């Protein structure tokens, strides 16, 4: 008997547990399977090489931005407003530099998953160093 005279139905508890397990399975199935797949590949990456490649990709992306800027073919489009209400622009230089950096890393390490976070850091390096 549960506290304060409340009786729980065994069927209700079972349904609740099955639904809870289903939600947990759904949330973690992608995470677990990707981690298992990463271990099965058995491929390792030297972080120094990856850092050097990332810097090279950032420089290459910066050159692409500079080339588009010098050719004056920006073709700017609005991504939306920032918190301050300023219009944030997306140019061809941004797109081409992203593609250049992505494909450079992906061709060097095809088994790595290149995320947008890596591209953001490289974008910062490009814009702060040039």
């Amino acid at each position: 008997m549960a506290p304060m005279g409340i009786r729980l139905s065994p069927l209700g508890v079972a349904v609740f547990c099955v639904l809870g397990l289903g939600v947990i399975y759904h949330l973690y199935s992608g995470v677990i399977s990707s981690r298992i797949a990463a271990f099965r590949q058995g491929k390792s990456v030297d972080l120094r090489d990856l850092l050097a490649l990332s810097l090279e990709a950032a420089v290459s992306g910066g050159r692409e931005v500079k080339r588009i800027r010098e050719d004056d073919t920006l073709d700017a489009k609005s991504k939306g407003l920032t918190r301050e209400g300023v219009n944030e622009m997306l140019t061809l230089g941004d797109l081409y530099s992203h593609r250049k950096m992505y494909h450079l890393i992906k061709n060097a390490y095809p088994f790595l998953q290149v995320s947008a976070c890596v591209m953001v850091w490289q974008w910062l390096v490009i814009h702060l160093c040039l």
Side-chain angles (χ1 to χ4, degrees):
M1 185 149 287
M4 298 175 38
I6 299 173
R7 290 184 356 181
L8 299 175
S9 167
L11 181 62
V13 171
V15 168
F16 182 76
C17 290
V18 167
L19 286 175
L21 288 175
V23 168
I24 291 171
Y25 173 76
H26 178 69
L27 290 175
Y28 288 106
S29 63
V31 174
I32 292 171
S33 64
S34 66
R35 303 238 185 225
I36 291 172
F39 284 123
R40 283 187 185 161
Q41 286 180 350
K43 298 178 181 173
S44 62
V45 176
D46 184 16
L47 291 181
R48 290 180 186 165
D49 293 340
L50 186 60
L51 178 62
L53 179 68
S54 296
L55 289 174
E56 179 62 34
V59 169
S60 174
R63 288 186 187 127
E64 196 68 25
V65 169
K66 189 175 181 181
R67 183 185 65 81
I68 293 293
R69 182 72 166 161
E70 288 172 350
D71 291 346
D72 201 25
T73 56
L74 290 177
D75 193 27
K77 298 175 186 172
S78 175
K79 288 196 290 187
L81 297 177
T82 62
R83 292 180 188 167
E84 294 82 22
V86 178
N87 207 9
E88 189 172 1
M89 303 304 284
L90 174 69
T91 65
L92 281 180
D94 295 329
L95 295 175
Y96 289 169
S97 68
H98 176 80
R99 288 180 189 154
K100 192 103 169 173
M101 291 184 293
Y102 175 81
H103 289 296
L104 183 65
I105 295 172
K106 201 62 175 168
N107 289 337
Y109 297 106
F111 54 90
L112 282 184
Q113 180 180 357
V114 181
S115 68
C117 182
V118 170
M119 295 302 169
V120 168
W121 281 107
Q122 289 175 346
W123 184 87
L124 286 173
V125 169
I126 289 169
H127 288 83
L128 294 177
C129 293
L130 294 180

